[in-house]
């Protein structure tokens, strides 16, 4: 919360490890290992509102919920939680105004706890919860908690009791993340279909009226569908950062759901968009500083290795298996499962010129002059 430190959990052979770094210097500030934790990993980490404490939940087999005074490298409380063995999506956090109040969500699990004076966890009865797979949660206020479910619902809990249920997408895709906008207490919902949905309070002047309604929805990545895994909104609410399941990140500036039309929303890549699956082939142009790569994500990407920028990207219905760059830098030959295809490289597209009836070409190369090319199939 103070934007000075970042915590990262690492999988180990024995006990999981948490390292905390200074954001400005990237210096390691603390390395935390709890000998009571048998799990090799942690599934969720969260700083307290004052950034003095760190809450973490371990994975199988013991699912230990721990609170650290991370600067002193001291465990304040550590207790095993009875959860289903299938709970791989456990998430934990502090209440924003009371660090002694905790919440843990997961498979059929919404549990509130209070840390007593003896540093023991006291379970708080949760009323009205339903048997769901809870994927994420976010505090809206000190007594209000938003919880996203696998069935595409957002549940609002008030004072540890279920207050209301809100539906998101019509296709009932999972709610994968929620982010509250601090200024107006509206919130954004990320879904498994790669959409961002905006919920706003109907009576903005009445903070006690929890009558939220979905206003708009936006698709982050048009070319492919990938779940939204994380959302972050700047303190001024002028920019939003979005992370997707396919390891791509986008930013959106001047976010205003009241003004912007979904068609006008322009999500800008944060850096150059690389492959998000195995790279099947690569070739270098002889006469230009260009490299071409093809991958299992069904994309072909042309890179300028001098400026380190992505010049061209195109997605296909089938996975490209191999690629060759013409010496001139104006043409490509790409192998697909059903054929070998020749393309011209345009400013922002690849235009097919000719197809060859050669299946599963795994290796293809142009001659030095570019007037010939050779292709090798699996059968050779």
């Amino acid at each position: 919360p103070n934007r000075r430190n970042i915590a990262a959990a690492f999988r180990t052979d024995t006990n999981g490890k948490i390292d905390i770094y200074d954001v400005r210097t990237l210096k390691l500030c603390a390395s935390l290992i709890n000998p009571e934790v048998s799990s090799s990993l942690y599934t969720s980490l969260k700083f307290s509102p004052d950034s003095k404490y760190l809450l973490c939940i371990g994975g199988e087999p013991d699912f230990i919920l721990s609170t650290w005074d991370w600067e002193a490298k001291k465990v304040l409380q550590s207790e095993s939680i009875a959860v289903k063995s299938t709970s791989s999506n456990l998430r934990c956090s502090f209440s924003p105004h009371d660090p002694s109040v905790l919440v843990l969500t997961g498979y059929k699990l919404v549990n509130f706890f209070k840390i007593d004076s003896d540093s023991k966890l006291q379970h708080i009865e949760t009323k009205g919860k339903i048997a769901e797979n809870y994927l994420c949660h976010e505090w809206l206020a000190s007594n209000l908690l938003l919880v996203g479910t696998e069935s595409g619902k957002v549940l609002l809990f008030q004072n540890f009791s279920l207050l209301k249920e809100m539906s998101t997408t019509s296709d009932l895709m999972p709610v994968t993340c929620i982010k509250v906008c601090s200024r107006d207490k509206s919130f954004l919902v990320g879904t498994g279909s790669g959409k961002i949905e905006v919920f706003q309070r109907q009576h903005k002047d009445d903070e006690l009226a929890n009558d939220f309604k979905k206003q708009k929805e936006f698709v982050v990545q048009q070319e492919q569908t990938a779940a939204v895994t994380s959302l972050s909104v700047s303190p001024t609410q002028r920019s939003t950062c979005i992370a997707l399941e396919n390891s791509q990140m986008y930013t959106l500036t001047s976010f205003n759901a009241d003004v912007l039309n979904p068609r006008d929303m322009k999500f800008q890549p944060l850096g150059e968009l690389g492959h998000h699956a195995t790279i099947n082939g690569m070739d270098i142009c002889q006469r230009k500083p260009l490299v071409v790569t093809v991958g299992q994500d069904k994309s072909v990407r042309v890179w300028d290795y001098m400026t380190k920028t992505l010049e061209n990207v195109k997605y296909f219905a089938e996975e490209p298996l191999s690629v060759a760059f013409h010496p001139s830098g104006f043409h490509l030959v790409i192998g697909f499962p059903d054929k070998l295809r020749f393309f011209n490289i345009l400013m922002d597209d690849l235009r097919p010129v000719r197809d060859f009836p050669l299946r599963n070409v795994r290796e293809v190369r142009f001659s030095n002059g570019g007037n010939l090319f050779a292709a090798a199939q699996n059968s050779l």
Side-chain angles (χ1 to χ4, degrees):
N2 63 9
R3 302 181 185 275
R4 296 177 183 174
N5 302 99
I6 186 170
F10 297 90
R11 184 192 295 267
T12 62
D13 294 333
T14 52
N15 312 95
K17 185 180 75 165
I18 301 171
D19 285 346
I20 299 178
Y21 298 88
D22 186 294
V23 172
R24 293 166 293 182
T25 64
L26 299 183
K27 179 182 177 181
L28 179 64
C29 300
S31 187
L32 311 178
I33 298 178
N34 187 350
E36 297 182 14
V37 176
S38 300
S39 175
S40 61
L41 56 84
Y42 289 95
T43 64
S44 180
L45 308 174
K46 200 72 173 181
F47 282 106
S48 62
D50 58 7
S51 301
K52 292 182 179 180
Y53 307 109
L54 182 70
L55 182 66
C56 52
I57 178 70
E60 294 184 273
D62 42 9
F63 300 104
I64 289 183
L65 183 67
S66 307
T67 305
W68 287 81
D69 181 339
W70 65 268
E71 291 182 306
K73 301 181 182 179
K74 179 182 178 182
V75 179
L76 301 180
Q77 71 81 24
S78 186
E79 188 170 325
S80 180
I81 306 297
V83 301
K84 298 285 186 180
S85 60
T86 52
S87 294
S88 59
N89 58 313
L90 290 171
R91 298 292 181 265
C92 60
S93 66
F94 291 96
S95 168
H97 297 292
D98 186 358
S100 67
V101 175
L102 317 175
V103 65
L104 178 67
T105 60
Y107 180 70
K108 296 184 179 180
L109 178 72
V110 179
N111 283 355
F112 293 92
F113 302 93
K114 188 172 181 64
I115 303 176
D116 61 20
S117 57
D118 297 326
S119 297
K120 298 293 184 181
L121 284 181
Q122 300 297 326
H123 185 269
I124 301 174
E125 182 182 359
T126 307
K127 299 179 181 179
K129 64 181 180 180
I130 54 180
E132 279 268 16
N133 186 12
Y134 301 100
L135 301 181
C136 59
H137 68 259
E138 179 83 356
W139 289 92
L140 183 66
S142 58
N143 64 337
L144 294 173
L145 181 75
L146 297 165
V147 182
T149 73
E150 190 176 37
S151 61
K153 300 173 184 175
V154 176
L155 307 182
L156 178 62
F157 287 82
Q158 183 178 35
N159 295 324
F160 320 121
S161 299
L162 180 61
L163 179 65
K164 67 183 303 184
E165 179 181 307
M166 295 167 276
S167 297
T168 57
T169 54
S170 57
D171 51 6
L172 299 180
M173 292 299 291
V175 175
T176 51
C177 59
I178 302 172
K179 188 62 180 178
V180 174
C181 300
S182 58
R183 282 190 171 182
D184 55 6
K185 296 300 180 182
S186 62
F187 61 91
L188 308 179
V189 171
T191 72
S193 58
K195 294 180 181 178
I196 294 178
E197 304 185 357
V198 184
F199 283 77
Q200 290 184 326
R201 184 179 271 124
Q202 296 303 291
H203 300 87
K204 295 183 179 180
D205 296 332
D206 185 3
E207 293 189 0
L208 298 178
N210 298 308
D211 51 347
F212 294 94
K213 184 178 180 181
K214 189 178 84 170
Q215 298 295 326
K216 294 181 181 179
E217 64 179 40
F218 313 100
V219 178
V220 179
Q221 195 176 40
Q222 299 289 344
E223 299 86 358
Q224 286 192 329
T225 299
V228 179
T229 57
S230 182
L231 288 166
S232 183
V233 181
S234 66
T236 60
Q237 294 186 202
R238 293 181 179 177
S239 61
T240 304
C241 186
I242 306 103
L244 301 182
E245 189 179 33
N246 60 10
S247 303
Q248 312 291 7
M249 294 182 69
Y250 291 84
T251 59
L252 178 66
T253 57
S254 300
F255 182 85
N256 190 334
D258 292 330
V259 177
L260 290 177
N261 188 298
R263 300 175 186 176
D264 300 329
M265 300 292 277
K266 301 297 181 183
F267 293 90
Q268 300 298 327
L270 186 62
E272 300 299 338
L273 296 181
H275 291 279
H276 49 85
T278 302
I279 294 176
N280 292 331
M282 181 183 73
D283 199 15
I284 300 175
C285 180
Q286 292 183 11
R287 301 173 189 171
K288 293 182 178 181
L290 299 176
V291 175
V292 61
T293 56
V294 297
Q296 289 183 358
D297 56 3
K298 301 181 181 179
S299 72
V300 177
R301 300 170 190 264
V302 179
W303 308 82
D304 187 320
Y305 59 79
M306 295 295 291
T307 61
K308 300 179 182 179
T309 56
L310 181 64
E311 297 292 310
N312 209 323
V313 59
K314 187 174 179 67
Y315 286 89
F316 293 90
E318 293 186 306
E319 176 187 337
L321 306 175
S322 57
V323 65
F325 224 137
H326 192 273
S328 67
F330 296 124
H331 316 287
L332 294 174
V333 172
I334 304 173
F336 290 91
D338 60 340
K339 67 187 73 171
L340 186 69
R341 307 185 70 183
F342 189 95
F343 291 87
N344 286 340
I345 302 177
L346 306 182
M347 288 292 294
D348 55 358
D349 195 12
L350 301 179
R351 177 175 296 173
V353 177
R354 185 177 177 183
D355 295 345
F356 301 89
L358 298 174
R359 296 176 177 270
N360 296 314
V361 172
R362 293 286 179 173
E363 290 292 339
V364 59
R365 285 292 180 270
F366 278 101
S367 63
N368 290 336
N371 58 320
L372 302 172
F373 68 83
Q377 296 172 280
N378 285 339
S379 59
L380 295 181

